[in-house]
Amino acid sequence: MATFTLLPLRFARAVSCLARQLGRKGGCSLKGDQLFDIICVGIFACTVLFLKHLNAGAIYFWIKDLTQEFLKLQVIYTAVEMFDKILCSFGVDTLEALSGTCTLYANSTSHTRRQLRHLVSDSLVALVIVVMHGTIIMCQGMAFSVAMNSKRSSALVALLIASNFVEIKGTVMKRFDSSKLFKLACQDVVERFHLLISLLFVLVEEMDNSGHWLPNQDLLWQCGQIFLAEVAIDVAKHAVVGKFNEIRPGVYREFMKDVCERVIASQSHNIHSVMDFEPFGPAGLFLRVTLTFIVIRSEPLSELSLYQWVFRCCACLLSWGLLCSVCAALGFLLKRLAHLYMQHYDDWYNAKSGRGLNMRTERLGSENNLGKQE
C-alpha cells in the first residue's frame, strides 16, 4: 500500500527539492533517500508498463502447450514457485544495494563516471529483477488457470498435491533451528500474499475475457480452495518441522515478538522489509489487475464527455486520498498492536519467571525441611 500512497508523496518531495536546487545553483544536491525514491518510481513505472502490455493469453497457451508436449504442469508450477522465491530474495537485496549506492552517490562531493556507472548498473539490475518477479507471479496465476480449465477434473488437485508434497519433503529432510524456522515462516507469509495476487489476476482476466462484471462463481470457489489448501499445507509443514527438529510451539511467540520489535522500529515506507518482501513486482501486477477491472466496469474513453472526464479525475483523487488515509491508519494500527503485544509478552514472561522462582523456592524449602527431619 505504501507503493501507491507514500512513494508518490516522497517522489513529489524529491522532485520539488531537485527543482529548487536547479533553480538556485544550477546543480543537484539530492539526498540519498530522495534519489532512491526517484529511481524506485522509475522502476515501478517501467514494471507497470511492461506488465500492462504483456499478453496473458500468450503465456496461458505457452504453458498449456508445454504441458501437452514436454512437461507436466506440476513441474512447471514447481519451477515457477522456485523462481518466485529466488527473485523475491534477490529483489530485496538488490533494492538494499541500490539504496546504499544512492546514498554514496548523493554524499559524494565529486560525481565521477565510476560512481555513475555503479548507480546506473544497480538501477538496471533492480529493474530487470523487479520486472521478472512480476512476470513470474503472473505465470503462477496462468499455471493455476491452466489447471482449472483442464479437461481432467483432478488436474488442480494433482497440482496442489504434487507441489506441496515436494515442499514438505524438502523441509522435512533438512535440519532446522529457530532462526531458519523464522525465515521459513516469513517466506510462507510472502508466498501466500503472492498467491493471493496471482489468484486475483486469474479472476479479473476471466472477467475481462468473458465481459462480465462479476467473477465466475465456480472459478471463485476454486481459487478459494487453492488458497485454503496452501494455508493448511503451511500449518502441516510447520507442525512436521517442529516435530522432527524438537522445536516447541512456544517459539512462535518469540517470532511474533521479533516481528513486533521490527515493526515498532521501522518506518511506514519501509515496513515491508520486516518480512523481506519485495513490493514493486506484486504492486505492478496488482495495478494491472485494478486497471483491467476499472476498464471492465466503465465505458470506453472515447465516449466520455468533458463532464465525465472531470468527474472521474476527481473520483480518482478522492480515492487516492482515502487510500492515503487508510494507509496512515493501518500503519498506526500495526504499531499500536505491536506495542500491545510487547506489553502482553512482558507480562507473560514476568509471570512465568515469577512462577519459576516460586517453584524453586518451594523446592528448596522442602529440601531444607527434609534435612532438618533427618
Side-chain angles (χ1 to χ4, degrees):
M1 189 177 290
T3 306
F4 302 106
T5 56
L6 298 179
L7 184 60
L9 295 175
R10 292 171 61 87
F11 174 74
R13 187 187 67 175
V15 171
S16 63
C17 178
L18 177 61
R20 288 196 303 268
Q21 292 296 331
L22 292 175
R24 291 177 183 177
K25 300 180 181 179
C28 175
S29 60
L30 287 175
K31 296 180 181 180
D33 58 341
Q34 293 175 339
L35 180 59
F36 179 68
D37 291 335
I38 293 176
I39 295 176
C40 284
V41 169
I43 291 174
F44 181 64
C46 293
T47 304
V48 172
L49 289 175
F50 180 84
L51 294 178
K52 180 62 179 176
H53 293 88
L54 188 60
N55 191 352
I59 298 177
Y60 174 86
F61 287 108
W62 176 70
I63 294 176
K64 189 173 183 179
D65 292 339
L66 283 179
T67 56
Q68 291 178 353
E69 296 179 3
F70 301 105
L71 301 173
K72 291 185 177 180
L73 184 59
Q74 294 86 344
V75 177
I76 296 178
Y77 179 77
T78 303
V80 169
E81 196 173 28
M82 180 185 65
F83 277 111
D84 180 25
K85 296 179 182 179
I86 294 174
L87 291 174
C88 184
S89 179
F90 280 1
V92 173
D93 296 338
T94 304
L95 291 176
E96 290 181 357
L98 178 59
S99 177
T101 304
C102 292
T103 302
L104 292 176
Y105 185 81
N107 295 336
S108 177
T109 56
S110 59
H111 302 308
T112 61
R113 291 184 177 180
R114 181 179 180 182
Q115 292 176 337
L116 183 60
R117 285 198 301 269
H118 286 173
L119 181 62
V120 173
S121 62
D122 287 353
S123 302
L124 291 176
V125 170
L127 175 61
V128 171
I129 290 179
V130 169
V131 169
M132 291 178 61
H133 190 203
T135 306
I136 285 296
I137 298 176
M138 183 186 294
C139 292
Q140 184 181 16
M142 289 295 98
F144 279 122
S145 182
V146 170
M148 287 185 284
N149 294 325
S150 176
K151 296 180 180 179
R152 296 177 299 170
S153 59
S154 61
L156 181 60
V157 177
L159 176 62
L160 293 175
I161 293 176
S163 60
N164 289 291
F165 177 78
V166 172
E167 185 177 2
I168 292 178
K169 181 181 178 181
T171 54
V172 169
M173 300 304 294
K174 293 181 180 179
R175 187 67 181 175
F176 278 84
D177 54 11
S178 58
S179 61
K180 291 182 180 179
L181 187 60
F182 177 72
K183 292 181 180 179
L184 180 64
C186 292
Q187 288 179 358
D188 289 338
V189 173
V190 173
E191 288 175 13
R192 296 295 78 80
F193 183 78
H194 290 170
L195 177 63
L196 188 63
I197 295 294
S198 62
L199 293 178
L200 184 63
F201 171 74
V202 171
L203 287 174
V204 176
E205 284 295 315
E206 193 275 337
M207 293 167 58
D208 187 23
N209 294 330
S210 61
H212 295 160
W213 288 9
L214 295 175
N216 186 290
Q217 296 298 322
D218 295 334
L219 186 63
L220 185 62
W221 171 243
Q222 288 180 328
C223 291
Q225 286 180 323
I226 292 172
F227 189 80
L228 293 177
E230 292 287 346
V231 173
I233 290 297
D234 285 340
V235 174
K237 178 177 66 177
H238 281 268
V240 172
V241 169
K243 174 64 177 178
F244 280 87
N245 293 275
E246 299 180 355
I247 300 176
R248 295 188 175 184
V251 72
Y252 291 96
R253 188 182 291 111
E254 302 292 334
F255 295 165
M256 190 65 181
K257 171 179 170 292
D258 294 339
V259 171
C260 291
E261 289 178 347
R262 296 184 184 185
V263 169
I264 294 173
S266 63
Q267 298 180 357
S268 298
H269 65 277
N270 61 358
I271 198 171
H272 58 269
S273 60
V274 172
M275 304 300 294
D276 292 333
F277 173 64
E278 185 275 304
F280 297 116
L285 184 59
F286 179 77
L287 186 58
R288 169 180 170 153
V289 170
T290 305
L291 293 176
T292 305
F293 181 76
I294 292 174
V295 170
I296 296 173
R297 305 280 296 190
S298 62
E299 300 176 359
L301 298 178
S302 59
E303 299 179 2
L304 297 179
S305 62
L306 180 61
Y307 173 76
Q308 291 175 327
W309 273 102
V310 174
F311 176 77
R312 295 200 174 190
C313 291
C314 293
C316 290
L317 290 176
L318 289 175
S319 300
W320 182 75
L322 180 62
L323 188 62
C324 290
S325 302
V326 171
C327 181
L330 184 60
F332 174 79
L333 180 62
L334 286 176
K335 289 185 178 292
R336 181 58 181 168
L337 291 176
H339 279 289
L340 291 177
Y341 184 82
M342 292 298 296
Q343 294 177 1
H344 169 74
Y345 179 85
D346 292 337
D347 295 339
W348 171 82
Y349 185 78
N350 293 331
K352 181 180 178 181
S353 300
R355 288 196 301 269
L357 182 61
N358 293 332
M359 291 178 62
R360 287 194 298 269
T361 304
E362 292 176 359
R363 186 168 60 251
L364 291 175
S366 62
E367 291 178 355
N368 292 332
N369 292 331
L370 289 175
K372 290 179 181 180
Q373 293 177 1
E374 291 177 356

